[in-house]
Amino acid sequence: MTQPTPARRLDEFKPDARFAWCVTGSGHMLEESIALARRLPGVDLFLSAAGEEVLPLYGWTVAKLREHFKVFRDNSASSVPVGMIYNGEYHTVVIAPATSNTVAKCAYGISDTLPTNLYAQAGKQCVPGIVFACDTAPSVITQTPHEWVEVRPRAIEFENVERLARFAHTTVACSLDDLEAALDQRLSDLKLAWNTSSS
Ligand SMILES: Cc1cc2nc3c(=O)[nH]c(=O)nc-3n(C[C@H](O)[C@H](O)[C@H](O)COP(=O)(O)O)c2cc1C
């Protein structure tokens, strides 16, 4: 079997390369994920169409996001912004939070949204990806825009997470602590540090 190509060396990225942080249409861990993104240096946001619908339900309009990040919307069929991965402009692709839909697509090589395209093209460029899969426990307590509810992920969700975790250059985070640890490791690899202020 063909061996995976080594991850891209740091000197292959532009000196001012950034995190490409994708937000999908998940209410679960949305606020917590954005809070982490705000603590990182150099982050651009990439929204799925569902992400753009769900974010305002939790108080995050595109206008408000733009106070903190450069924001790319999913408004082209071919995910035009993905070309920036090829130019070395992003050293890491993060999908957080990742819906079960996006996890399934990534795990089966489907790329038909901005986040799934970024993940797939990053993989083909050997750029590390970090995916925060939220449906990873038999019972997940999650916040809808109006109330807290229990979600019981199915076997297919667990199978897709396990499948994705076997992909080269991919770290799957199953909790917020996992996500923070994966980002911390990546910052250390990049010789970068967390922001001391999130403003
Ligand atoms: C308010 C709201 C919250 C949602 N939260 C979740 C969630 O936590 N996890 C999930 O897998 N899907 C959630 N969904 C459903 C996804 O948005 C839907 O499956 C969508 O097609 C995902 O598209 P995407 O993966 O391209 O972002 C939510 C939908 C709404 C309206």
Side-chain angles (χ1 to χ4, degrees):
M1 197 167 134
T2 313
Q3 293 300 308
T5 316
R8 216 156 251 270
R9 295 189 321 271
L10 299 188
D11 63 5
E12 294 179 274
F13 299 114
K14 288 192 170 169
D16 58 350
R18 305 166 66 76
F19 286 88
W21 188 297
C22 306
V23 180
T24 64
S26 166
H28 190 61
M29 292 291 160
L30 182 59
E31 192 64 46
E32 294 86 345
S33 296
I34 291 174
L36 271 183
R38 290 181 62 188
R39 287 177 50 209
L40 287 177
V43 177
D44 293 341
L45 286 195
F46 296 78
L47 312 183
S48 70
E52 189 171 341
E53 284 179 9
V54 167
L55 274 156
L57 303 179
Y58 293 82
W60 286 97
T61 59
V62 170
K64 185 173 167 191
L65 289 169
R66 285 193 167 133
E67 291 171 16
H68 306 279
F69 307 99
K70 187 169 184 182
V71 179
F72 294 90
R73 300 167 58 210
D74 203 347
N75 53 13
S76 70
S78 55
S79 289
V80 172
V82 162
M84 292 185 289
I85 289 278
Y86 283 81
N87 300 336
E89 292 185 36
Y90 294 100
H91 51 59
T92 314
V93 168
V94 182
I95 308 182
T99 58
S100 47
N101 175 61
T102 289
V103 169
K105 286 181 179 180
C106 291
Y108 280 87
I110 296 170
S111 42
D112 63 355
T113 64
L114 196 45
T116 54
N117 258 304
L118 275 162
Y119 175 76
Q121 299 306 325
K124 293 178 192 180
Q125 291 292 305
C126 306
V127 172
I130 299 171
V131 181
F132 183 20
C134 299
D135 285 342
T136 54
S139 169
V140 177
I141 306 300
T142 189
Q143 193 176 18
T144 72
H146 312 294
E147 59 188 337
W148 290 89
V149 296
E150 183 188 14
V151 175
R152 295 184 191 157
R154 305 160 297 176
I156 185 73
E157 270 90 43
F158 302 136
E159 286 163 24
N160 289 338
V161 170
E162 283 170 19
R163 185 181 174 90
L164 187 60
R166 294 197 294 271
F167 274 46
H169 314 305
T170 296
T171 303
V172 172
C174 293
S175 67
L176 196 62
D177 284 347
D178 279 0
L179 176 61
E180 187 163 357
L183 293 170
D184 199 55
Q185 180 60 56
R186 187 62 180 146
L187 284 173
S188 164
D189 295 345
L190 294 161
K191 300 181 177 43
L192 295 172
W194 294 95
N195 290 333
T196 46
S197 155
S198 62
S199 58

